[in-house]
Amino acid sequence: MTGPDSPTSFKLAYVPGVTPSKWVRIWNERSPGVPLELVQATAAEAAALVREREVDAVLLRLPIDREGLHAIPLYTETTVVVVPKDHLVAAADEVSVDDIADEIVLHPLDDTLDWAAPPGKPALERPATTADAIELVAAGVGLLVVPQSLARLHHRRDLTYRPISGTPESGVALSWPDEETSDLMEQFIGIVRGRTVNSTRGRQQSPEKQAPEKKTPAKSKRPQAAGRKPQTGNRRTPQGGKRGKPRRRG
């Protein structure tokens, strides 16, 4: 895309735990003339950034208020419980919410899981952030249930995590303003959906712009046999030449 009215860049925000590096690499290969700018965003402010047009699109966690926004779900993460390495939970391959029912489970204010009621016993105060909650887990204050990517993001040598069942899962989605989608937005949608560079990017031609269908010539209803000439008549001529009139005997 070129010209004075063409965008000079594409701004993409993303929340902690989401890694857009693969999609950024593909974008740079396909659109070297349009830089893709990354903007880090908290889970709380992600939707507002794109709704207020501060960025072109955002990779965020569901659920969100979708008023005025498109959202394409991309993938769902495994939920894990973060514990000290010497905790009993660390000895299991997977646990359930019943296994931590008697434990203090931290519930940070920036929690991204859509809880009806968090498991375990509540702490006296809610940590401000997931990073703060990780520090409290390391101090032996309680446990923390988070999407697996956040457990990896805040990895510490003295902590580990295990998959946990019976909890909500975190879905990651691509979101952008609920208006006419730009060509650059269509291009990024195609990248995250795995379309190749030669595939259709989602916009269909209007009927009047589509190429007219070519009509196939009608075939003969009774095709002739190959190598044979059509017969010109049904009567047969007798051998010996033309048939004459019979002579009368006198």
Side-chain angles (χ1 to χ4, degrees):
M1 296 178 63
T2 58
D5 296 332
S6 301
T8 57
S9 65
F10 184 81
K11 286 187 177 182
L12 175 69
Y14 65 101
V15 297
V18 176
T19 54
S21 55
K22 175 184 176 181
W23 299 321
V24 173
R25 175 179 55 79
I26 297 174
W27 175 279
N28 291 335
E29 292 173 354
R30 297 183 184 181
S31 302
V34 183
L36 193 154
E37 299 181 18
L38 291 177
V39 178
Q40 292 184 339
T42 65
E45 68 181 355
L49 285 177
V50 72
R51 188 176 280 116
E52 295 170 5
R53 310 299 193 274
E54 294 187 27
V55 297
D56 297 295
V58 61
L59 294 166
L60 42 64
R61 296 184 184 277
L62 300 174
I64 59 168
D65 177 7
R66 297 200 183 190
E67 182 178 357
L69 297 177
H70 287 294
I72 298 176
L74 301 179
Y75 59 89
T76 302
E77 285 197 64
T78 299
T79 305
V80 300
V81 55
V82 182
V83 300
K85 278 193 172 180
D86 58 356
H87 196 279
L88 290 176
V89 166
D93 293 330
E94 183 176 350
V95 296
S96 69
V97 291
D98 294 335
D99 296 323
I100 61 172
D102 296 328
E103 302 279 353
I104 292 177
V105 178
L106 302 166
H107 189 204
L109 295 176
D110 65 352
D111 185 19
T112 59
L113 298 175
D114 189 20
W115 294 106
K121 298 177 180 179
L124 295 177
E125 294 183 2
R126 294 182 63 182
T129 65
T130 298
D132 293 335
I134 290 288
E135 295 294 329
L136 293 175
V137 175
V141 174
L143 311 183
L144 177 64
V145 179
V146 290
Q148 182 169 296
S149 65
L150 289 181
R152 289 175 176 172
L153 178 65
H154 298 289
H155 173 70
R156 291 174 51 121
R157 292 183 179 180
D158 54 347
L159 300 180
T160 188
Y161 59 85
R162 294 292 183 269
I164 183 169
S165 60
T167 63
E169 294 178 322
S170 175
V172 174
L174 173 65
S175 182
W176 70 97
D178 188 12
E179 294 180 353
E180 182 179 356
T181 304
S182 68
D183 289 337
L184 291 180
M185 191 66 235
E186 287 282 6
Q187 181 168 325
F188 192 73
I189 292 170
I191 289 174
V192 299
R193 284 184 162 174
R195 296 179 189 149
T196 64
V197 67
N198 295 323
S199 63
T200 304
R201 296 192 305 173
R203 289 195 172 187
Q204 301 293 333
Q205 289 186 344
S206 57
E208 61 271 16
K209 292 183 180 181
Q210 293 180 354
E213 295 183 0
K214 294 182 179 181
K215 294 184 178 180
T216 302
K219 296 182 178 179
S220 174
K221 293 183 179 180
R222 299 178 62 183
Q224 298 176 4
R228 293 186 179 180
K229 295 182 179 180
Q231 296 181 356
T232 57
N234 295 328
R235 292 186 299 177
R236 297 174 61 186
T237 302
Q239 293 181 356
K242 296 183 180 180
R243 177 182 297 177
K245 295 182 179 180
R247 292 182 180 182
R248 296 178 62 185
R249 294 181 179 180

